[in-house]
């Protein structure tokens, strides 16, 4: 079990509408990845409502534009 509340950087794979965002540490670097631009917009909107800065990346989870071991935690629900 990873304590995502203490992670410095978090990759949120398949961020969708951002329902996981309230459970993440607001001081973490949060990268929200999703293949669907409309879902990323919803994630960004939810993050803005929560005053949570995120980096939204439109990509396929099988081909993430990140170096290996770039994150302290990965969330996939």
């Amino acid at each position: 079990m990873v304590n995502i509340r203490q992670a410095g950087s978090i990759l949120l794979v398949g961020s969708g509408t951002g329902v996981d965002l309230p459970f993440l540490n607001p001081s973490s670097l949060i990268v929200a990845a999703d293949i669907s631009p409309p879902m990323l917009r919803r994630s960004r909107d939810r993050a803005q409502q929560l005053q949570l800065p995120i980096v939204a990346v439109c990509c396929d989870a099988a081909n993430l534009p990140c170096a290996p071991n770039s994150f302290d935690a990965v969330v996939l629900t």
Side-chain angles (χ1 to χ4, degrees), residues 44-72:
R44 279 192 213 107
D45 291 346
R46 188 178 306 260
Q48 187 175 18
Q49 290 170 358
L50 296 167
Q51 299 180 336
L52 186 66
I54 65 167
V55 176
V57 179
C58 188
C59 66
D60 183 341
N63 192 20
L64 295 169
C66 310
N69 301 313
S70 296
F71 299 93
D72 296 317

